[in-house]
Structures are given as structure tokens and as C-alpha cells.
Amino acid sequence: MRMYYSRLKLASVLGVCLLGLLLCLPNGLRNPFPSMPWRQIHLGLDLRGGSYLLMQVDLKSLTHDRLQTLADSTRETLLKSQLGYRNITTNADTSTVSFMPRDASETEADLAALSKLPRVVPNEFTVAKQDNGSIVLTLSPEALKARAREAVTQSIEIVRRRIDATGAVDPEITRQGDDRIVVELPGVSDPERIKTLLGTTAKMTFRLVDPNPMHATAAPPGVSLLPMATAGDGPPLPVYDHVDVDGTDLTNAGAVIDSQSGEWAVTFTFDSVGTHAFSTVTQANVGRRFAIVLDNKVIEAPVIRSPITGGNGQITGGFDAQKATDLALMLRAGALPAPLSVMEQRTIGPSLGADSIRAGMLSLAAGFVFVILFMALFYGRFGWYANVALLANLVLMVAILSLFEATLTLPGMAGMLLTLGMAVDANILINERIREEVARGRTPLAAMQAGFERATSTIVDSNATALLAHVMLFVFGTGPVRGFALTITIGIVTTLFTTLLLSRLLMVRWYALTRPTSLPV
């Protein structure tokens, strides 16, 4: 390693340090040049205060919904094949759909027709005849597990879209275990509206109402008695289980004031699939009631006066401005594949966050001061050069975190303090190697060069292994663990730069200007 810096190398090292200082400035200024796209570090939940929600995905409802869909498909397939059936039932505990053939002679035809039912995933279910003559469709455990994993992933994305639409800043949404989601909302001290948004599945369907008055009290198979969404709007309605139009075909929704009634309403627009289905069912059922069902509650059930072919509609259900806005938001974000329930809730006040910031900054400042004093007392001038490199290390860490708009947490601040300690170890190693070379009688320049050469490989090897470990910790960790790993990873990179380039630059420039006969180390 040559103890020489070209002008280009000198300018590059100093330019990186100045750029880092420039990127740090927005974190200390309230409105740093508003016309420029400055980026800042965001404070996490433990520093800023806010709300913590642990939510669980109801995986049992996934099984129930899939069994209901499979039962509907079974009915349609048998009827299209002119095959009869009796007593179709579903059992979520055993993940089965079962029925009795109309006649024993039709059993083989039933099995052949149902074996052609489409599978969402390969080998999703099996069709078999039982000893009592019934036919049972059984969902496989592997298919249920795959659907559960997909449901949790989909739920996280929908939760993110709903929260982003509320204007919440820097939400942290992560997966925990097989069926849980952690939601951290910095700055949100009252999460009730968020809980309502996330606790509502927002699964909208459009179904025909059974016109038979006898079914208003005792629903037959294929019909469910669904309550009205608003209390006092009447008794439960007998609604067919078959979904004529699915809310997943919605492309847009918005809250508006109805021009005729002056009340808040929600308008919606279908895509081409939904438009075709909506047009078909309204053309074939003029004069019948068509229920708009949200999470198994009937919002309204208007009579189809004429075919609706434009793909647009409007829902009125006694909404106020907030309810209409939230419903439109949820419809735009999409329906959750399964309900979410709040398992744990914590609220961290801003005063506690301020105390955490104060304590974290105090520990960081105290550690930094003690390190500076130690290096100055034990290594003299070279110790001060190490202190300059240490300060540049801290500046570059903050700059990189600002550039990526990272979220800083208490574990992250601990990682920054640990990084300073690791950086000090590297500088101590260099200075001790230089001392050893001086003790061997080498000239100042030779001692500096040999000291850096002997220390560099050790520093690079130790930091490389630490870097790999913390990268894996960041990839596989969650929450605070990732924050800690992120700052350590960034700190290792900045430590190598400031220790092997900046501190050496300061020593080389000093030697070139003074040409000392002995080294102050």
C-alpha cells in the first residue's frame, strides 16, 4: 500500500465527506430549501410515539369460503349435466363438501362430472364415494396451507393500501408467524379509525333476493338469511348464496353526495368482466330485488327497474361523510381475503418517544465523547486524526440513512453506537501496528506504510465477516432486529472508508507537509 494520494484520489475522498455532510443537513433543519427534494431520516414507533397493532388472519373463514364456492360449483356442474342431488352440506372442520346422489345409478356419472371441476392449485381436492353412498369432495391440507400463505401475503398488501390512503406517515407492516400481521403507526395516537378500516373485510357481493315469502323465516339450502347493515331497516333478507356479481371486479369507488336525496352515497365502477355480469343479471331479472351485500350484511336491496349496462352504480345506505369515504377507500383498496382481528394493541405517547430520543442521543453523545478522549490521550496527533475519521463515519452513516429515508429506531441508535466502537477498534489496530514498526527502528514513512499494510487485511477480514452476518440478520429479521442490522451494515461500509482512506489521507498529508523525524504515536 503506497503512502501517496493523487489529486484525484484526494478530491474524491474529500468530496464524499462533503456530500455526506450535505445530505445530513436536512435532519437538523425544519425547512431546508423547500424547492429542493431533500430526504430525511424518519423516526420509528419507539422514538416518535404512535400505535402498535397485532392482527390475526382468520384462516378458518378461508376454508369456509372455499367450501361454499366448491358447493356452488358442485350444484351448477350437476345441474348442467342433468344430474340430481340431495342435501349438499359443507363441514369446515373436516374441509369437505358432501351430498347424496339423486339415485344410486347416477353415482359414477356424478364422480365423472365432478372430477372435471377446475382446481385453483394442482390436486386441490379429491372426489370420492363413501360407504354410505354419499359423495365427498375433500380439500387437501397442502392446498389449504398454500391458500393460507397467499391470503396473509395478500392481506399485508391490502392493509398497506388502506393505511396509505389514510395519509399515515411511515407505517411499518410486517408478517409474524403463519397468520399474524404487525402494524406500527408512528405518530398515530388514536388508532380506532385504522382498526375499523382493517377490521372490515370489505368483501362486497351482489346477489338476488329469494322472492318466496316462506323462506323469510326458514332458509332452504342455497339461501341465507342475512341481516341488514343498518339496525331498524327491517328483518333479515333471504339472499341466494350464489354470487351474481363479485366486488373484486370493481375498478373504482368514490364518496359523493346524491343529487336527489342530498345524502352521502358511494359510487362504483366495474371492469369489463363485472360490467358484463352486472348487465346480464339485471337484464334477466327486471322486477326482482338485487341485494348489495358487504361482509354478509345487506346494505340495501333495491328492485331492478331496468337493465344496467353501463358498468356504474351507486350505493346509498344512510352514510355520513366519514363512513362513505371509508367504504369507498376499502372498495378501492380491495377486499381482504379473510377477516382480521386485533390480538394486541399498544399506544406509545409522544412524551415517551421524546424521552427515548433524549436518552438515545445522550448515550450516543456520551459514547462519542469518551471515545474521542480515549483516542486523544493514548495516541496523540494520530488519535485526533482517528477522531476526525470517526466523526466523518457518523456523518456518512446519517447521510446514507437519509438518502434511503430509513426509519430510525432505538435498536438502530444502538447499532450506530456499536459501529463507532467497531471503527475505534480499526483505528487502534492501525496505531498499534505503527507503534510496533517504530519500536523495530523503522523510519517514520516506512513505519506508517508497514503499519497500514499489516492492519488492512485484518480490518477487511473482520469487517467482511461482520457484514455478511448482519446482512443475513437484515434479510431474515423483522422489526427492531432489521433496524439494528441496517445501521450496523451501513456502519461497516462507512468504517472501511473512513479508516482505510480518510484517516490515512490525514496522516499522509501531515507527513508530506512536516517531514517529521519521529511519529507522535
Side-chain angles (χ1 to χ4, degrees):
M1 178 182 294
R2 298 180 59 192
M3 300 300 288
Y4 170 76
Y5 272 73
S6 65
R7 291 183 177 179
L8 178 60
K9 194 173 183 180
L10 175 64
S12 299
V13 173
L14 295 179
V16 170
C17 295
L18 291 175
L19 179 61
L21 183 61
L22 184 65
L23 292 174
C24 281
L25 289 179
N27 295 289
L29 303 175
R30 292 192 174 183
N31 295 306
F33 309 105
S35 60
M36 299 185 67
W38 292 105
R39 298 188 176 186
Q40 296 176 297
I41 294 176
H42 301 296
L43 299 180
L45 186 67
D46 50 0
L47 297 179
R48 186 177 173 185
S51 298
Y52 169 95
L53 297 173
L54 175 62
M55 313 195 78
Q56 186 174 36
V57 181
D58 185 5
L59 298 182
K60 288 185 178 180
S61 69
L62 286 175
T63 304
H64 177 271
D65 291 345
R66 180 55 184 141
L67 290 174
Q68 191 64 51
T69 304
L70 193 58
D72 291 341
S73 299
T74 300
R75 290 190 186 95
E76 293 179 3
T77 300
L78 294 177
L79 291 177
K80 286 182 180 178
S81 303
Q82 297 182 350
L83 298 170
Y85 59 86
R86 291 184 290 118
N87 301 328
I88 288 186
T89 59
T90 61
N91 189 327
D93 294 330
T94 58
S95 305
T96 57
V97 175
S98 60
F99 69 94
M100 291 295 295
R102 179 177 55 186
D103 188 271
S105 62
E106 295 181 347
T107 299
E108 294 301 324
D110 290 340
L111 293 173
L114 296 178
S115 64
K116 298 178 182 179
L117 283 175
R119 270 76 167 169
V120 177
V121 295
N123 302 318
E124 181 189 14
F125 58 85
T126 58
V127 184
K129 176 188 174 182
Q130 303 299 303
D131 294 337
N132 62 357
S134 65
I135 294 178
V136 177
L137 292 79
T138 306
L139 294 174
S140 68
E142 294 76 15
L144 292 175
K145 290 179 181 179
R147 182 157 177 78
R149 289 193 299 268
E150 180 184 355
V152 175
T153 302
Q154 185 181 355
S155 296
I156 290 175
E157 181 59 31
I158 293 173
V159 165
R160 190 182 308 279
R161 290 204 298 263
R162 291 187 183 182
I163 291 178
D164 288 344
T166 65
V169 180
D170 307 320
E172 187 74 19
I173 304 167
T174 55
R175 181 174 188 157
Q176 186 181 89
D178 295 330
D179 60 350
R180 295 187 177 186
I181 299 173
V182 174
V183 180
E184 295 182 355
L185 304 169
V188 179
S189 58
D190 183 12
E192 291 306 316
R193 185 191 174 201
I194 301 293
K195 285 172 58 180
T196 302
L197 287 177
L198 301 184
T200 304
T201 309
K203 184 176 182 180
M204 178 173 286
T205 56
F206 299 80
R207 314 183 207 171
L208 289 169
V209 176
D210 188 343
N212 192 334
M214 300 295 293
H215 297 164
T217 55
V223 177
S224 298
L225 291 173
L226 300 183
M228 303 299 293
T230 303
D233 279 0
L237 285 180
V239 179
Y240 287 107
D241 293 335
H242 175 74
V243 175
D244 295 286
V245 185
D246 199 324
T248 56
D249 297 326
L250 291 173
T251 59
N252 195 16
V256 298
I257 296 179
D258 184 50
S259 58
Q260 297 181 354
S261 64
E263 297 180 350
W264 281 94
V266 176
T267 60
F268 56 87
T269 305
F270 285 110
D271 59 14
S272 58
V273 175
T275 299
H276 176 73
F278 205 73
S279 174
T280 301
V281 71
T282 54
Q283 285 178 353
N285 296 279
V286 174
R288 295 184 61 181
R289 298 183 70 183
F290 198 34
I292 303 173
V293 181
L294 179 67
D295 293 343
N296 289 324
K297 292 183 179 180
V298 179
I299 298 180
E300 59 178 340
V303 176
I304 302 174
R305 302 296 182 187
S306 60
I308 303 173
T309 59
N312 300 312
Q314 179 173 290
I315 306 171
T316 57
F319 302 117
D320 56 21
Q322 188 68 67
K323 289 182 179 179
T325 301
D326 289 347
L327 177 57
L329 182 157
M330 290 184 289
L331 293 179
R332 288 195 303 270
L336 290 166
L340 291 176
S341 57
V342 177
M343 304 297 294
E344 181 182 350
Q345 175 183 341
R346 297 199 304 267
T347 299
I348 301 174
S351 59
L352 180 59
D355 292 341
S356 299
I357 295 175
R358 194 179 303 110
M361 294 301 295
L362 181 62
S363 62
L364 189 61
F368 191 75
V369 169
F370 284 133
V371 166
I372 286 178
L373 292 177
F374 173 83
M375 294 299 293
L377 290 174
F378 278 81
Y379 298 105
R381 178 183 290 273
F382 282 6
W384 282 109
Y385 290 157
N387 289 335
V388 173
L390 197 63
L391 179 61
N393 193 356
L394 182 60
V395 168
L396 290 175
M397 273 196 294
V398 176
I400 295 175
L401 290 171
S402 301
L403 186 63
F404 291 102
E405 295 185 316
T407 299
L408 183 63
T409 60
L410 275 177
M413 296 185 74
M416 296 176 71
L417 186 58
L418 181 59
T419 297
L420 296 181
M422 295 167 61
V424 169
D425 289 342
N427 282 286
I428 289 175
L429 187 61
I430 291 173
N431 288 325
E432 288 296 330
R433 291 291 180 268
I434 293 176
R435 274 184 176 178
E436 292 174 2
E437 297 302 325
V438 170
R440 292 178 181 178
R442 288 180 178 266
T443 63
L445 181 60
M448 291 172 58
Q449 182 170 341
F452 267 100
E453 287 178 349
R454 292 180 58 195
T456 296
S457 60
T458 304
I459 293 172
V460 171
D461 290 345
S462 62
N463 281 277
T465 54
L467 179 66
L468 291 175
H470 286 91
V471 166
M472 292 299 100
L473 196 62
F474 177 80
V475 171
F476 297 106
T478 58
V481 175
R482 296 191 71 186
F484 176 79
L486 176 64
T487 52
I488 292 290
T489 302
I490 294 174
I492 290 173
V493 176
T494 57
T495 295
L496 291 175
F497 173 82
T498 56
T499 302
L500 301 181
L501 293 178
L502 182 59
S503 61
R504 188 161 69 96
L505 167 64
L506 296 174
M507 293 180 186
V508 169
R509 295 304 299 170
W510 168 78
Y511 181 86
L513 293 174
T514 60
R515 299 288 178 178
T517 57
S518 62
L519 295 179
V521 66

